[in-house]
Amino acid sequence: MSIFINNSRFINILLLILFVSNDSCLCMHSTVNVTATLNEGGFSPAVATWYGSPTGAGSGGACGLQNDVINAPYNGMISAGNGNLFRSGAGCGTCYMVKCIDNPACSGSPIHVTITDECPGLCNNEPFHFDLSGKAFGSLAKPGHEYQLRNAGRINIQYTRVRCHYRAHIAVKIDSGSNPYYLAMAVENVNGDGEIERIEILGEGLKSWGAMQRSWGETWKFNVPGGTSGPFSIRFTDRSSNSVVANELIPRNWIPGKTYYSRINFR
């Protein structure tokens, strides 16, 4: 009886060793560890500074959004980005969560910002540099410690790219230099990627969609062929190749400098 029990224990131990050394078991544990690492390591290091007035909304400058960043849905929570963030205008409209933890005035809580401008020159001394609006920079601080954090001027932060989710529809602001033969517009309030990869236009007199070209920042242009007029429908395609169409977004009698709001957006 005793010999039978010992043999059984030996067999059980042997089976356990074989099971632990089995590849499928190791893969299972590896998957759990990788998932945990991705969830915990979503933020990467960067540097942040701020510009403008201490509580100011910053600017839509190099992206062509002008002072629209003061209003909803941006509400001044914006940032200029260095070359790796701005990406010659392709980074306009991308959204990030940023947080700071190194400075005693930091709250450690992430805030949401949108790239709406470029920070050239010295900002490119680091791989990723966010030059935040005064309002956004102060929002990284503990309540009542905004001045202390702004006084630091330059801080280490952590950032991660996120999908944009505005409670707004895509809008286009017609460039003031537009005319019946040249139409340019800045694109605002883009959900999802926040990054427009392609824009096409269709108006009366056009037999098929015409491709617009990025002029600068988030401003796109189109040389209007003779005999073509509004209303113009616009098809937006983002970096993930998702497309949405704003039918007759720009009316026949469009006005330079005016903003036109669609009824669509990316999810």
Side-chain angles (χ1 to χ4, degrees), residues 85-106:
L85 294 169
F86 183 73
R87 291 183 290 117
S88 300
C92 289
T94 52
C95 296
Y96 293 88
M97 296 295 286
V98 298
K99 63 181 179 179
C100 69
I101 55 177
D102 290 350
N103 191 291
C106 292

Side-chain angles (χ1 to χ4, degrees), residues 94-123:
T94 52
C95 296
Y96 293 88
M97 296 295 286
V98 298
K99 63 181 179 179
C100 69
I101 55 177
D102 290 350
N103 191 291
C106 292
S107 70
S109 299
I111 63 170
H112 180 283
V113 296
T114 304
I115 298 296
T116 63
D117 205 351
E118 180 182 16
C119 185
L122 295 178
C123 284

Side-chain angles (χ1 to χ4, degrees), residues 15-177:
L15 290 173
L16 180 61
I17 292 172
L18 291 172
F19 179 76
V20 170
S21 63
N22 184 276
D23 288 343
S24 63
C25 177
L26 291 177
C27 287
M28 179 182 66
H29 286 289
S30 177
T31 301
V32 172
N33 290 337
V34 169
T35 302
T37 300
L38 289 174
N39 289 339
E40 294 173 0
F43 283 83
S44 301
V47 167
T49 50
W50 63 279
Y51 71 102
S53 65
T55 58
S59 168
C63 288
L65 306 187
Q66 300 176 341
N67 292 325
D68 292 349
V69 297
I70 297 173
N71 306 315
Y74 304 107
N75 296 312
M77 298 298 287
I78 60 90
S79 178
N82 71 348
N84 287 331
L85 294 169
F86 183 73
R87 291 183 290 117
S88 300
C92 289
T94 52
C95 296
Y96 293 88
M97 296 295 286
V98 298
K99 63 181 179 179
C100 69
I101 55 177
D102 290 350
N103 191 291
C106 292
S107 70
S109 299
I111 63 170
H112 180 283
V113 296
T114 304
I115 298 296
T116 63
D117 205 351
E118 180 182 16
C119 185
L122 295 178
C123 284
N124 290 296
N125 288 347
E126 299 86 26
F128 295 95
H129 187 125
F130 291 79
D131 196 23
L132 300 164
S133 68
K135 178 179 180 179
F137 196 93
S139 297
L140 291 169
K142 299 173 184 176
H145 292 260
E146 294 85 358
Y147 177 80
Q148 180 182 342
L149 189 63
R150 291 193 194 97
N151 195 46
R154 173 191 171 96
I155 60 174
N156 294 322
I157 62 167
Q158 295 178 323
Y159 79 99
T160 186
R161 184 169 175 178
V162 296
R163 293 182 66 79
C164 302
H165 185 69
Y166 305 117
R167 294 182 178 178
H169 295 136
I170 292 176
V172 297
K173 173 179 277 189
I174 307 300
D175 188 86
S176 59

Side-chain angles (χ1 to χ4, degrees), residues 214-255:
R214 188 187 299 275
S215 178
W216 57 278
E218 198 61 287
T219 297
W220 296 71
K221 64 181 181 179
F222 181 69
N223 292 319
V224 183
T228 303
S229 65
F232 292 102
S233 296
I234 308 294
R235 180 160 64 192
F236 304 93
T237 301
D238 67 11
R239 188 181 183 186
S240 299
S241 298
N242 300 310
S243 295
V244 292
V245 176
N247 290 311
E248 300 186 354
L249 172 58
I250 302 174
R252 182 184 300 275
N253 298 316
W254 53 268
I255 302 172

